[in-house]
Amino acid sequence: MTEPLLEAVDVAKDLGSGAAKVAALKGVTLSLKGGELTLLMGPSGSGKTTLLSILGCMLRPTEGTVRICGHPTAGAGPEDLALLRREHVGFVFQSFHLFPTLSATDNVRLALDVRGQPSRAARVMSREALAKVGLAHKTKAYPRELSGGEQQRVAIARAIVGNPSIILADEPTAALDGENGRAIMKILAEIAGEQGHAVLIVTHDPRLLPFADRVVHIEDGRITGEEPGGAKLPRLQ
Amino acid sequence: MPLVFTLAFRNLFHDRLRLIATVIGIVFSIVLVTVQMGLYLGFGRMVTTMIDHASADLWIMPRGTKCFEDPSLLNTRERYRALLISGVTEVIPVVIGFADWRMSSGEMTPVFVIGSDLRYGGLEPWNLVEGRIEALSRPKAVAVDRTYFDRLGVSGIGSTAEIREQPVRVAAVTNGIRSFTTTPFVFLDVNRARTYTGVPSGKASYLLVRLSQDADRGRVRQEIVSNIADVEVLTPAEFRERSRKFWLFGTGAGAALFAGALLGVIVGTVVVAQTLYSSTKEHLTEFATLRAIGSSKRYIYKVIVWQALLSAAIGFSIAALIGNAIVRLTAATALPIVITPALLVGLFLLTVVMCVGSSIAAIVQVTRIDPATVFAR
């Protein structure tokens, strides 16, 4: 699979207006391919999250084009962008964003429910997704009954349950200890390597480098470099 | 169970205190509307109770009569003209009017006298619990309701008093014939009613017309109007409507009841809107997450509207139970609160509309959610 699943070309984004206007992104070009885990690294304020929001169809670029699985986002309205997100993109957030009043299964099922997936099938698929992230025994647990690592696994199950082509993760290990962080990265690496998803992880944590196929550096709103990651070696060990 | 419903249910029950505040708001509002509308219906029934219980196909009355209690009079000789019209079988004079009732203790109280020709039974007392109708033919005989025993200073059959300084004797007792004016009704023969109310001989308040089974009511009515000057001829339904309109809207009573009901709706809407809005605000991150994972706005609206509907169902159920208790408590009072099945359905729809309408502020709030905020939280 060599065709890019996600492609951003000359993307620029201005935030704010008037005197407070800031150029958050300045001509960023980036593509993600299936089966590849990419780390997007940069210091705070470098434009990582803004780029992630644009790639995830949550923000519209001021300039440039973005294509998600061949679909251009230019001119798409909020509902069109939501459709692109639910069909092609899975998200993993730094602070999990699970629903505290729903069980693990129902949290995962939400991603299918918003797509109109029938309840019974969705429940089976959600349990399978939880099993994939090693939580087959916690399907009925509520977020408050789960550790941080387990909550992030539920969030990953929610991201992959609809089998999206692209997984975008924002600092997925930042709220976790080293051991849990490695476990989460292992799962994300498997999702990329074995299931053929394009995985982009925004991070500033160098401990994640060994899991990456490639590393993209961003600074001051510009891509400043790209290098191969230390993947292939530690993955699946 | 659909997940959108589960989410709404859990959001609602997650904060019990807020749920209680919401439900209290809805219950207060709907009970207030129920009482006002129940009073409206009860009042509407009370003001037409005599028309409801009269045995007539048509009512002949002086032109411009506003309600049953109107003191206008017509000539009883018109009775014979009416009887000449084909299809008319009986024309029964009825005399009504206020009078003073003097108890044996000497105390006075006003009463509303209803006299009907007892041979034909045009407007006789009903719900008799003591005595018989025939007993009213005897001299001095009257029928009163036992609810007013204390007011009238009587204790049952055989008790005596005076109306217009003429002696009367209780010969029959009814139960539950109450007046919305709280003035006790006194039933008696039409001729003595004239004496007690000062209505001249040859005058009556109404002429009740009975028709043969095959008579054409419209034609008879037309002929009566053509043959008798300065009268109106109404069907019972028309007279009921006219009386109701006069008392409810001519006096402002209905407007006051509707204003109370409107106030209830406003209070309920504000309370529910406020609590739904604050609930939505508290769950904003969750709604933003839903948006981020690709939900449509419609999906989120469904969650909020389900919350509103659940609140409506809970609030209405409690309000209906309270309403039922109020109906029972007021059943024997001068102005009972009446809840009909139609009113109940109407109140339920009102609750739903009120709660769903209240969710608009919350929906507007959600509409502004930027899904990208999930990265910042």
Side-chain angles (χ1 to χ4, degrees):
Chain A
M1 200 183 285
T2 52
E3 284 302 304
L5 294 173
L6 195 158
E7 204 172 10
V9 179
D10 287 333
V11 166
K13 179 68 182 175
D14 295 335
L15 298 175
S17 59
K21 194 158 119 180
V22 176
L25 294 176
K26 301 161 188 167
V28 171
T29 295
L30 178 71
S31 62
L32 301 178
K33 290 177 184 163
E36 203 174 60
L37 191 153
T38 306
L39 290 187
L40 179 64
M41 300 188 79
S44 294
S46 59
K48 300 190 298 287
T49 303
T50 305
L51 180 58
L52 194 68
S53 300
I54 288 173
L55 298 179
C57 302
M58 292 186 196
L59 278 182
R60 265 178 287 222
T62 310
E63 283 173 37
T65 58
V66 176
R67 294 175 78 87
I68 305 283
C69 298
H71 301 282
T73 63
E79 291 306 293
D80 301 320
L81 293 176
L83 179 66
L84 280 175
R85 286 199 294 275
R86 68 177 172 265
E87 288 193 345
H88 301 293
V89 187
F91 289 96
V92 180
F93 308 106
Q94 178 179 345
S95 43
F96 323 137
H97 288 312
L98 298 180
F99 288 65
T101 58
L102 297 181
S103 67
T105 304
D106 282 345
N107 262 291
V108 176
R109 190 153 71 98
L110 265 180
L112 298 171
D113 204 55
V114 298
R115 297 170 169 217
Q117 187 92 23
S119 285
R120 188 168 294 179
R123 205 168 278 123
V124 172
M125 289 166 73
S126 302
R127 288 193 193 118
E128 285 171 359
L130 282 168
K132 274 184 194 167
V133 296
L135 287 179
H137 60 299
K138 298 268 185 171
T139 55
K140 289 180 182 169
Y142 285 85
R144 64 177 178 277
E145 298 162 346
L146 299 171
S147 68
E150 288 172 330
Q151 287 188 53
Q152 194 58 296
R153 288 194 215 186
V154 174
I156 292 171
R158 181 177 65 189
I160 63 171
V161 70
N163 199 29
S165 309
I166 303 152
I167 305 288
L168 302 180
D170 179 33
E171 305 273 11
T173 59
L176 307 175
D177 59 32
E179 192 182 335
N180 273 309
R182 278 191 295 278
I184 291 299
M185 283 310 296
K186 208 169 157 187
I187 291 169
L188 288 170
E190 279 173 10
I191 288 167
E194 291 183 0
Q195 295 168 33
H197 298 274
V199 178
L200 176 70
I201 297 172
V202 164
T203 186
H204 57 262
D205 184 353
R207 290 178 299 174
L208 307 193
L209 286 170
F211 297 91
D213 292 302
R214 64 176 178 139
V215 181
V216 176
H217 295 278
I218 184 168
E219 200 167 338
D220 195 24
R222 286 192 177 88
I223 302 289
T224 53
E226 188 178 325
E227 59 187 329
K232 319 287 187 208
L233 297 174
R235 187 185 295 175
L236 306 180
Q237 280 178 0
Chain B
M1 191 182 292
L3 196 50
V4 71
F5 177 81
T6 307
L7 193 55
F9 183 88
R10 301 272 169 83
N11 277 358
L12 205 58
F13 280 82
H14 181 59
D15 187 338
R16 301 271 163 86
L17 270 180
R18 182 161 39 216
L19 175 64
I20 289 168
T22 308
V23 168
I24 287 174
I26 296 169
V27 169
F28 174 79
S29 164
I30 298 304
V31 167
L32 186 56
V33 176
T34 304
V35 168
Q36 298 295 315
M37 297 313 295
L39 277 173
Y40 177 83
L41 288 180
F43 191 63
R45 282 191 187 178
M46 289 294 279
V47 297
T48 63
T49 187
M50 289 300 159
I51 304 168
D52 294 339
H53 286 91
S55 167
D57 295 310
L58 291 170
W59 289 67
I60 302 176
M61 63 192 72
R63 186 175 293 283
T65 299
K66 294 183 181 69
C67 61
F68 177 79
E69 291 76 12
D70 198 309
S72 310
L73 298 170
L74 42 73
N75 287 320
T76 46
R77 67 169 178 271
E78 315 296 9
R79 174 172 180 249
Y80 301 105
R81 287 194 192 172
L83 278 168
L84 289 173
I85 294 167
S86 164
V88 175
T89 56
E90 280 159 7
V91 179
I92 308 155
V94 168
V95 168
I96 59 162
F98 285 94
D100 285 329
W101 173 283
R102 182 190 291 273
M103 302 170 218
S104 50
S105 64
E107 280 180 81
M108 303 268 281
T109 188
V111 292
F112 194 80
V113 168
I114 297 165
S116 171
D117 192 329
L118 297 167
R119 289 170 297 175
Y120 304 108
L123 183 45
E124 294 173 336
W126 63 97
N127 285 353
L128 282 181
V129 289
E130 280 185 68
R132 295 159 58 92
I133 293 286
E134 293 75 27
L136 295 179
S137 309
R138 292 184 204 138
K140 305 178 196 170
V142 296
V144 296
D145 196 89
R146 67 177 174 194
T147 320
Y148 296 117
F149 274 4
D150 286 345
R151 289 271 301 279
L152 298 172
V154 298
S155 57
I157 287 182
S159 295
T160 57
E162 283 181 7
I163 302 179
R164 270 203 161 200
E165 299 177 354
Q166 309 268 341
V168 293
R169 181 177 168 277
V170 176
V173 175
T174 62
N175 182 36
I177 305 183
R178 305 195 60 159
S179 161
F180 68 95
T181 62
T182 73
T183 306
F185 289 123
V186 174
F187 290 89
L188 68 173
D189 175 69
V190 68
N191 289 322
R192 277 185 293 113
R194 284 197 185 93
T195 310
Y196 295 150
T197 55
V199 170
S201 163
K203 295 278 186 183
S205 307
Y206 299 101
L207 294 174
L208 307 189
V209 179
R210 284 193 191 137
L211 304 178
S212 58
Q213 276 191 337
D214 56 349
D216 177 347
R217 191 158 70 167
R219 178 193 57 78
V220 172
R221 171 150 83 163
Q222 195 54 48
E223 283 194 36
I224 294 173
V225 171
S226 307
N227 286 294
I228 305 175
D230 295 327
V231 298
E232 283 183 272
V233 183
L234 300 185
T235 63
E238 289 167 345
F239 193 23
R240 228 175 264 134
E241 191 54 29
R242 182 179 288 191
S243 282
R244 230 177 246 145
K245 268 189 185 161
F246 172 75
W247 284 112
L248 287 169
F249 301 108
T251 64
L257 293 171
F258 274 116
L262 185 64
L263 186 70
V265 174
I266 291 170
V267 168
T269 305
V270 169
V271 170
V272 179
Q274 201 275 330
T275 50
L276 267 180
Y277 180 79
S278 64
S279 165
T280 303
K281 215 165 174 185
E282 189 178 290
H283 294 281
L284 222 46
T285 308
E286 290 168 26
F287 289 125
T289 305
L290 275 177
R291 231 14 214 148
I293 65 173
S295 92
S296 61
K297 282 184 183 170
R298 193 184 155 87
Y299 185 91
I300 296 174
Y301 298 162
K302 272 199 223 169
V303 176
I304 294 171
V305 169
W306 266 119
Q307 277 181 244
L309 289 174
L310 279 166
S311 307
I314 297 166
F316 177 78
S317 304
I318 297 171
L321 288 174
I322 294 172
N324 186 42
I326 293 172
V327 167
R328 285 168 190 271
L329 285 172
T330 60
T333 63
L335 194 49
I337 287 168
V338 173
I339 299 181
T340 60
L343 176 61
L344 207 59
V345 171
L347 285 169
F348 179 68
L349 293 177
L350 176 73
T351 316
V352 168
V353 168
M354 185 177 82
C355 289
V356 173
S358 302
S359 64
I360 288 171
I363 284 172
V364 169
Q365 171 87 5
V366 163
T367 305
R368 294 179 184 150
I369 288 181
D370 176 2
T373 57
V374 289
F375 291 127
R377 291 166 197 260

